[in-house]
Amino acid sequence: MDDDGTRGGRGPGADRAPGPAAPPPPAHPPRVPHPASGTHPADPHQGDRNQADPYPADRKQADPQPGRPAEQWRAGSASAQPVEHRPAGPASAAPPVEQPAPGAPVDAWLRTPRPQQEPGVWRYGYTPPPPEESERVSDRSLLVGALIALLSALLLWSLWRNGYLPYRLVPLKLFTPGEWWNPGTSGGPRTIEGSDALTVYEAILFGLLAYGCGRIGNFSELFRRHVAERGQPFLALAAAVAAGLTQLLVWKETLPVVRPVLVLVASVAGGEIYQSQTVVNVIYGLIAAAVLWPFARLGRWRELIAARRGGGTAPAPADPSAPATTTSADQWPELRAAGWTDAADTLTAEVRTGRMNDVDVARLRHAWRLATRRPDRLGPLAESVLRTGGAAALHPSGHRDLPRRTARHDVLTGQVRIGRCADDPHNPYVRRGTGLALDPALLGTSLLAVGPPGAGKSARLVRPAVEALALRALAGQAAVLAVGGAGEPLGPDDAFDVVVRVGHPGSAHDIDLYGGTTDPDEAAAVLAEGLVGDVGSLDSRRAATVLAQLLGPYRAAHGHFPSVPELRELLDGTPAAFAGLRASLEAAGHHAMLRELDARSRQAGGPGDPAPALADRVALLDRPTFAGFFATGPDARPFELRALGQYPLRVRVDLPERGHAEASRLLTRLLLAQFTAITAARTDTSLFVCLVLDDATHAVTAETVRGIRRLRSVNAGAVLALRTVDDVPEALHTPLLGAVGCTAAFSGITTWDGKRFAEAWGKEWVETREVAQHTVFADQPFTRALHALRKLVTGKAVTTDAVTVRQVEKERWSASELAYAVPSGHAVIRLANVDGEHAPPLLVHLDG
């Protein structure tokens, strides 16, 4: 029977932590190996694979529950798994998404350029767009302009040839002897030398006329738009037809080419050169070749012939899988520069043969960077690489990839492609058509996504972000906590190290209501924020004081914090609970804690006492469904959120939203408060930590907004998804939008939400054109008659346009545009990174 990814009850399964079984050999290249493929094909040292762990000594036992034997975390037995790894079947046999493109080998992927770009640009193989064209001339105007220029040139040439242009020979006579010409300004040539000079003169004028006609008529744009853009073989055929027609006109002497060339050759080499028929043939051949050469260049005949000889396809770029130089990325130049040539050769062979995937490359590069900070780790890492190849420095779970990817990832840069910028006037020209991606530098400023149900927040934004963080965790560079309702598409169980199913009897882990801390004041502050942080009439500081007055004495008496039923009794002021706690404190001699308990007794029932409200909220968790959860005794097995800041964990929490919506919101609020408090207090910030809330309804409080603002300084971030901004208290709308660096407005939001985004994104200076039409009044009778005739024909009065151009400040996106102009499947996303760089709001077609 399917037990929803768990097996057994909470008793035998609750004391086990994640750790997959010994994986089978990887799949054949270049397909990325199955996530369970952690074994090298020829690995005789399977037991020594993790000797060169890239993580510091305090991270080697990535156990979310301190105090457990390390063997349980690192073990490879199937019983050590918190969730069941189902066998491959029809439902799980979907092939993984090839990264970055189907069939691309890893070495080609590794050598693909990733230039630095603006925030959010998909960098893998990025090519900049062509320069933006000014106002594009219509095809009709282009053709009419070219035709007019051609007719004007023919008319001018005809007038020249027939002698209708006065003084046409004056420039020539100024630079030639006068005895060559007949008297008068219009006198023609008198000698043979004059005739030859006139022939060359006409050829030069014809060339200038043809050049001017081409420039004025914009024939180059006409050729590019209607001939070159059609590609081969139309381009070569059109050039061949034009070349044939030109050759015909040249040899018919319609175009002045042959005779001027013969005259110039004779003037330089002498007329005797034409006594040899061979020389004449050579000159004719050179003329024909010179006429054909520009058409061959325009038609790209050489490329077409080479393509036909090579198999009938266009010439392809150099094979990316061909052997590269020793400085290319797939040759591991950083290892070679440090002198570890053998290890570099081993990894190069692993990449070339397809025994490594993109996650292996990113993981080993990160392990090498960590090892260079501690030179004593370089030797063990190199030795592990020589033994296990791409399986060295493996993630503690043993996974080398996710079971399945639903988006395009570039693990080398940590980017995940979520969509493509639309070709819309709101988007800058350089961003239109480019891919949009998220990475830790962007998520470090936190992200707020707002959209109605069905807009695609979970499938097209949240799920790809969780996948990217999980892949980065497998590379040892991040930790992720994904929180959503049971059955939400945040990823399969096999994609996570720890899966907490609140209220499910088969869950291997609980949630620690106190965040794993032993300080009563710290635990009280976080718990108060989770319990009543959304209640505007209550001061969370007073609530934290009440909780501290109870948690401190209880821990001093029992060595641990109270469970949910016990905490509820204490908050309700049950006499038996107070009496038992007082007796325990008196027996142990905790007089300071007795004073705390006495203070709580005196304040109980007073005006403004927050204890009843706290008790009502705790009662939401004191339900039969949650019996056995939130335990605090020595037998409890809660997941401590504090482990996220120490180990590259992948954690998913499933909340029972359908039957216990209010309790789920309370737990979401508690997890957010714990996350902001724990990440802000950690000292080692080398690991990027991110919290992903698939539904942050009523989870944001004033304190958590301040905590979110501090996350970017401690290498952490949060992704919050809301159905509407009204799910946050109105007083927090502006602080929340100001605390996050990345915001996304999905299609279907209301104008009220759109107004808040429009105000947060600000305005920009744009150029506007105002056209005013003024009626033209004529004074002359003939002009009035013409205007009357025009009005009779067109039905409109004769007007003139007055154009006013000015700079105005306008909203980047108005509230109405966000509510009604964003198509389905699109979102307007504004991005900023931790370095302060930002991108304007972009209309994005989501394809995550």
Side-chain angles (χ1 to χ4, degrees), residues 55-77:
Y55 313 113
D58 57 347
R59 290 189 186 176
K60 285 191 175 182
Q61 287 79 33
D63 190 350
Q65 304 166 10
R68 294 178 41 194
E71 291 76 13
Q72 292 186 4
W73 169 243
R74 305 298 293 274
S77 61

PDB file of all heavy atoms in Angstrom, residues 55-77:
ATOM      1  N   TYR A  55      33.493  19.690   2.635  1.00  0.00           N
ATOM      2  CA  TYR A  55      32.901  20.505   3.674  1.00  0.00           C
ATOM      3  C   TYR A  55      33.801  20.505   4.895  1.00  0.00           C
ATOM      4  O   TYR A  55      34.533  19.558   5.163  1.00  0.00           O
ATOM      5  CB  TYR A  55      31.507  19.980   4.036  1.00  0.00           C
ATOM      6  CG  TYR A  55      30.678  19.695   2.843  1.00  0.00           C
ATOM      7  CD1 TYR A  55      30.309  18.402   2.512  1.00  0.00           C
ATOM      8  CD2 TYR A  55      30.306  20.730   2.000  1.00  0.00           C
ATOM      9  CE1 TYR A  55      29.563  18.152   1.376  1.00  0.00           C
ATOM     10  CE2 TYR A  55      29.554  20.483   0.876  1.00  0.00           C
ATOM     11  CZ  TYR A  55      29.192  19.191   0.568  1.00  0.00           C
ATOM     12  OH  TYR A  55      28.455  18.949  -0.551  1.00  0.00           O
ATOM     13  N   PRO A  56      33.790  21.564   5.678  1.00  0.00           N
ATOM     14  CA  PRO A  56      34.604  21.607   6.883  1.00  0.00           C
ATOM     15  C   PRO A  56      34.256  20.477   7.827  1.00  0.00           C
ATOM     16  O   PRO A  56      33.232  19.794   7.698  1.00  0.00           O
ATOM     17  CB  PRO A  56      34.266  22.979   7.493  1.00  0.00           C
ATOM     18  CG  PRO A  56      33.745  23.784   6.348  1.00  0.00           C
ATOM     19  CD  PRO A  56      33.066  22.794   5.446  1.00  0.00           C
ATOM     20  N   ALA A  57      35.130  20.297   8.811  1.00  0.00           N
ATOM     21  CA  ALA A  57      34.947  19.165   9.720  1.00  0.00           C
ATOM     22  C   ALA A  57      33.639  19.236  10.472  1.00  0.00           C
ATOM     23  O   ALA A  57      33.019  18.220  10.774  1.00  0.00           O
ATOM     24  CB  ALA A  57      36.118  19.125  10.713  1.00  0.00           C
ATOM     25  N   ASP A  58      33.177  20.451  10.749  1.00  0.00           N
ATOM     26  CA  ASP A  58      31.919  20.579  11.477  1.00  0.00           C
ATOM     27  C   ASP A  58      30.716  20.380  10.582  1.00  0.00           C
ATOM     28  O   ASP A  58      29.588  20.419  11.042  1.00  0.00           O
ATOM     29  CB  ASP A  58      31.822  21.947  12.152  1.00  0.00           C
ATOM     30  CG  ASP A  58      31.969  23.075  11.145  1.00  0.00           C
ATOM     31  OD1 ASP A  58      32.372  22.781  10.020  1.00  0.00           O
ATOM     32  OD2 ASP A  58      31.662  24.229  11.521  1.00  0.00           O
ATOM     33  N   ARG A  59      30.931  20.147   9.280  1.00  0.00           N
ATOM     34  CA  ARG A  59      29.808  19.905   8.371  1.00  0.00           C
ATOM     35  C   ARG A  59      29.784  18.475   7.864  1.00  0.00           C
ATOM     36  O   ARG A  59      28.932  18.125   7.077  1.00  0.00           O
ATOM     37  CB  ARG A  59      29.884  20.834   7.167  1.00  0.00           C
ATOM     38  CG  ARG A  59      29.604  22.278   7.489  1.00  0.00           C
ATOM     39  CD  ARG A  59      29.497  23.069   6.228  1.00  0.00           C
ATOM     40  NE  ARG A  59      29.373  24.487   6.510  1.00  0.00           N
ATOM     41  CZ  ARG A  59      29.335  25.417   5.586  1.00  0.00           C
ATOM     42  NH1 ARG A  59      29.409  25.093   4.321  1.00  0.00           N
ATOM     43  NH2 ARG A  59      29.224  26.692   5.902  1.00  0.00           N
ATOM     44  N   LYS A  60      30.744  17.671   8.245  1.00  0.00           N
ATOM     45  CA  LYS A  60      30.814  16.342   7.643  1.00  0.00           C
ATOM     46  C   LYS A  60      29.615  15.498   8.027  1.00  0.00           C
ATOM     47  O   LYS A  60      29.139  14.711   7.237  1.00  0.00           O
ATOM     48  CB  LYS A  60      32.113  15.662   8.066  1.00  0.00           C
ATOM     49  CG  LYS A  60      33.322  16.233   7.338  1.00  0.00           C
ATOM     50  CD  LYS A  60      34.544  15.385   7.565  1.00  0.00           C
ATOM     51  CE  LYS A  60      35.715  15.887   6.741  1.00  0.00           C
ATOM     52  NZ  LYS A  60      36.907  15.062   6.894  1.00  0.00           N
ATOM     53  N   GLN A  61      29.145  15.612   9.264  1.00  0.00           N
ATOM     54  CA  GLN A  61      27.945  14.886   9.646  1.00  0.00           C
ATOM     55  C   GLN A  61      26.775  15.841   9.497  1.00  0.00           C
ATOM     56  O   GLN A  61      26.380  16.513  10.434  1.00  0.00           O
ATOM     57  CB  GLN A  61      28.043  14.365  11.079  1.00  0.00           C
ATOM     58  CG  GLN A  61      29.005  13.195  11.218  1.00  0.00           C
ATOM     59  CD  GLN A  61      30.448  13.631  11.269  1.00  0.00           C
ATOM     60  OE1 GLN A  61      30.716  14.693  11.797  1.00  0.00           O
ATOM     61  NE2 GLN A  61      31.361  12.833  10.766  1.00  0.00           N
ATOM     62  N   ALA A  62      26.226  15.885   8.283  1.00  0.00           N
ATOM     63  CA  ALA A  62      25.146  16.832   7.994  1.00  0.00           C
ATOM     64  C   ALA A  62      23.855  16.328   8.590  1.00  0.00           C
ATOM     65  O   ALA A  62      22.917  15.982   7.899  1.00  0.00           O
ATOM     66  CB  ALA A  62      25.018  17.038   6.495  1.00  0.00           C
ATOM     67  N   ASP A  63      23.808  16.243   9.888  1.00  0.00           N
ATOM     68  CA  ASP A  63      22.658  15.685  10.587  1.00  0.00           C
ATOM     69  C   ASP A  63      21.823  16.820  11.139  1.00  0.00           C
ATOM     70  O   ASP A  63      22.315  17.622  11.930  1.00  0.00           O
ATOM     71  CB  ASP A  63      23.142  14.774  11.709  1.00  0.00           C
ATOM     72  CG  ASP A  63      22.019  13.963  12.320  1.00  0.00           C
ATOM     73  OD1 ASP A  63      20.854  14.256  11.986  1.00  0.00           O
ATOM     74  OD2 ASP A  63      22.295  13.068  13.121  1.00  0.00           O
ATOM     75  N   PRO A  64      20.540  16.939  10.748  1.00  0.00           N
ATOM     76  CA  PRO A  64      19.702  17.995  11.306  1.00  0.00           C
ATOM     77  C   PRO A  64      19.374  17.796  12.771  1.00  0.00           C
ATOM     78  O   PRO A  64      18.756  18.642  13.377  1.00  0.00           O
ATOM     79  CB  PRO A  64      18.436  17.923  10.449  1.00  0.00           C
ATOM     80  CG  PRO A  64      18.401  16.532   9.946  1.00  0.00           C
ATOM     81  CD  PRO A  64      19.821  16.108   9.782  1.00  0.00           C
ATOM     82  N   GLN A  65      19.805  16.640  13.358  1.00  0.00           N
ATOM     83  CA  GLN A  65      19.534  16.380  14.769  1.00  0.00           C
ATOM     84  C   GLN A  65      20.864  16.098  15.457  1.00  0.00           C
ATOM     85  O   GLN A  65      21.387  14.997  15.374  1.00  0.00           O
ATOM     86  CB  GLN A  65      18.592  15.190  14.935  1.00  0.00           C
ATOM     87  CG  GLN A  65      17.281  15.369  14.176  1.00  0.00           C
ATOM     88  CD  GLN A  65      16.519  14.096  14.067  1.00  0.00           C
ATOM     89  OE1 GLN A  65      16.858  13.123  14.697  1.00  0.00           O
ATOM     90  NE2 GLN A  65      15.477  14.095  13.258  1.00  0.00           N
ATOM     91  N   PRO A  66      21.487  17.068  16.106  1.00  0.00           N
ATOM     92  CA  PRO A  66      22.776  16.862  16.749  1.00  0.00           C
ATOM     93  C   PRO A  66      22.696  15.780  17.799  1.00  0.00           C
ATOM     94  O   PRO A  66      21.675  15.569  18.452  1.00  0.00           O
ATOM     95  CB  PRO A  66      23.079  18.228  17.376  1.00  0.00           C
ATOM     96  CG  PRO A  66      22.234  19.193  16.603  1.00  0.00           C
ATOM     97  CD  PRO A  66      21.019  18.437  16.215  1.00  0.00           C
ATOM     98  N   GLY A  67      23.822  15.097  17.965  1.00  0.00           N
ATOM     99  CA  GLY A  67      23.881  14.044  18.954  1.00  0.00           C
ATOM    100  C   GLY A  67      23.709  12.667  18.394  1.00  0.00           C
ATOM    101  O   GLY A  67      23.924  11.683  19.094  1.00  0.00           O
ATOM    102  N   ARG A  68      23.330  12.541  17.142  1.00  0.00           N
ATOM    103  CA  ARG A  68      23.145  11.222  16.546  1.00  0.00           C
ATOM    104  C   ARG A  68      24.469  10.693  16.062  1.00  0.00           C
ATOM    105  O   ARG A  68      25.360  11.452  15.686  1.00  0.00           O
ATOM    106  CB  ARG A  68      22.177  11.294  15.375  1.00  0.00           C
ATOM    107  CG  ARG A  68      20.785  11.659  15.789  1.00  0.00           C
ATOM    108  CD  ARG A  68      19.919  11.751  14.577  1.00  0.00           C
ATOM    109  NE  ARG A  68      20.216  10.667  13.653  1.00  0.00           N
ATOM    110  CZ  ARG A  68      19.813  10.642  12.403  1.00  0.00           C
ATOM    111  NH1 ARG A  68      19.146  11.638  11.922  1.00  0.00           N
ATOM    112  NH2 ARG A  68      20.092   9.627  11.637  1.00  0.00           N
ATOM    113  N   PRO A  69      24.644   9.380  16.006  1.00  0.00           N
ATOM    114  CA  PRO A  69      25.876   8.823  15.445  1.00  0.00           C
ATOM    115  C   PRO A  69      26.047   9.247  13.998  1.00  0.00           C
ATOM    116  O   PRO A  69      25.093   9.293  13.232  1.00  0.00           O
ATOM    117  CB  PRO A  69      25.664   7.301  15.576  1.00  0.00           C
ATOM    118  CG  PRO A  69      24.620   7.147  16.627  1.00  0.00           C
ATOM    119  CD  PRO A  69      23.735   8.350  16.517  1.00  0.00           C
ATOM    120  N   ALA A  70      27.270   9.542  13.633  1.00  0.00           N
ATOM    121  CA  ALA A  70      27.533  10.004  12.259  1.00  0.00           C
ATOM    122  C   ALA A  70      27.225   8.924  11.250  1.00  0.00           C
ATOM    123  O   ALA A  70      26.895   9.207  10.104  1.00  0.00           O
ATOM    124  CB  ALA A  70      28.999  10.434  12.129  1.00  0.00           C
ATOM    125  N   GLU A  71      27.339   7.644  11.706  1.00  0.00           N
ATOM    126  CA  GLU A  71      27.110   6.571  10.736  1.00  0.00           C
ATOM    127  C   GLU A  71      25.678   6.571  10.221  1.00  0.00           C
ATOM    128  O   GLU A  71      25.417   6.160   9.092  1.00  0.00           O
ATOM    129  CB  GLU A  71      27.420   5.213  11.381  1.00  0.00           C
ATOM    130  CG  GLU A  71      28.916   4.995  11.672  1.00  0.00           C
ATOM    131  CD  GLU A  71      29.382   5.778  12.886  1.00  0.00           C
ATOM    132  OE1 GLU A  71      28.499   6.271  13.624  1.00  0.00           O
ATOM    133  OE2 GLU A  71      30.595   5.906  13.082  1.00  0.00           O
ATOM    134  N   GLN A  72      24.714   7.018  11.051  1.00  0.00           N
ATOM    135  CA  GLN A  72      23.335   7.029  10.587  1.00  0.00           C
ATOM    136  C   GLN A  72      23.134   8.041   9.478  1.00  0.00           C
ATOM    137  O   GLN A  72      22.317   7.832   8.587  1.00  0.00           O
ATOM    138  CB  GLN A  72      22.401   7.349  11.754  1.00  0.00           C
ATOM    139  CG  GLN A  72      22.341   6.250  12.803  1.00  0.00           C
ATOM    140  CD  GLN A  72      21.304   6.531  13.855  1.00  0.00           C
ATOM    141  OE1 GLN A  72      20.575   7.508  13.764  1.00  0.00           O
ATOM    142  NE2 GLN A  72      21.223   5.675  14.862  1.00  0.00           N
ATOM    143  N   TRP A  73      23.874   9.169   9.536  1.00  0.00           N
ATOM    144  CA  TRP A  73      23.720  10.187   8.481  1.00  0.00           C
ATOM    145  C   TRP A  73      24.446   9.774   7.216  1.00  0.00           C
ATOM    146  O   TRP A  73      23.983  10.005   6.116  1.00  0.00           O
ATOM    147  CB  TRP A  73      24.239  11.505   9.006  1.00  0.00           C
ATOM    148  CG  TRP A  73      24.374  12.563   7.965  1.00  0.00           C
ATOM    149  CD1 TRP A  73      25.494  13.177   7.553  1.00  0.00           C
ATOM    150  CD2 TRP A  73      23.312  13.127   7.188  1.00  0.00           C
ATOM    151  NE1 TRP A  73      25.233  14.087   6.580  1.00  0.00           N
ATOM    152  CE2 TRP A  73      23.903  14.082   6.344  1.00  0.00           C
ATOM    153  CE3 TRP A  73      21.935  12.933   7.129  1.00  0.00           C
ATOM    154  CZ2 TRP A  73      23.159  14.834   5.435  1.00  0.00           C
ATOM    155  CZ3 TRP A  73      21.200  13.679   6.239  1.00  0.00           C
ATOM    156  CH2 TRP A  73      21.805  14.608   5.410  1.00  0.00           C
ATOM    157  N   ARG A  74      25.631   9.175   7.363  1.00  0.00           N
ATOM    158  CA  ARG A  74      26.430   8.843   6.208  1.00  0.00           C
ATOM    159  C   ARG A  74      26.172   7.426   5.711  1.00  0.00           C
ATOM    160  O   ARG A  74      26.768   7.007   4.716  1.00  0.00           O
ATOM    161  CB  ARG A  74      27.927   8.967   6.545  1.00  0.00           C
ATOM    162  CG  ARG A  74      28.310  10.321   7.091  1.00  0.00           C
ATOM    163  CD  ARG A  74      28.062  11.417   6.086  1.00  0.00           C
ATOM    164  NE  ARG A  74      28.945  11.296   4.955  1.00  0.00           N
ATOM    165  CZ  ARG A  74      30.167  11.810   4.913  1.00  0.00           C
ATOM    166  NH1 ARG A  74      30.619  12.488   5.929  1.00  0.00           N
ATOM    167  NH2 ARG A  74      30.923  11.665   3.852  1.00  0.00           N
ATOM    168  N   ALA A  75      25.328   6.675   6.394  1.00  0.00           N
ATOM    169  CA  ALA A  75      25.127   5.275   6.020  1.00  0.00           C
ATOM    170  C   ALA A  75      24.457   5.164   4.680  1.00  0.00           C
ATOM    171  O   ALA A  75      23.802   6.059   4.203  1.00  0.00           O
ATOM    172  CB  ALA A  75      24.292   4.569   7.093  1.00  0.00           C
ATOM    173  N   GLY A  76      24.605   3.985   4.086  1.00  0.00           N
ATOM    174  CA  GLY A  76      24.001   3.783   2.779  1.00  0.00           C
ATOM    175  C   GLY A  76      22.881   2.788   2.796  1.00  0.00           C
ATOM    176  O   GLY A  76      22.467   2.296   1.755  1.00  0.00           O
ATOM    177  N   SER A  77      22.377   2.411   3.948  1.00  0.00           N
ATOM    178  CA  SER A  77      21.302   1.436   3.996  1.00  0.00           C
ATOM    179  C   SER A  77      19.987   2.089   3.660  1.00  0.00           C
ATOM    180  O   SER A  77      19.757   3.257   3.910  1.00  0.00           O
ATOM    181  CB  SER A  77      21.233   0.814   5.394  1.00  0.00           C
ATOM    182  OG  SER A  77      20.971   1.807   6.349  1.00  0.00           O
TER     183      SER A  77
END
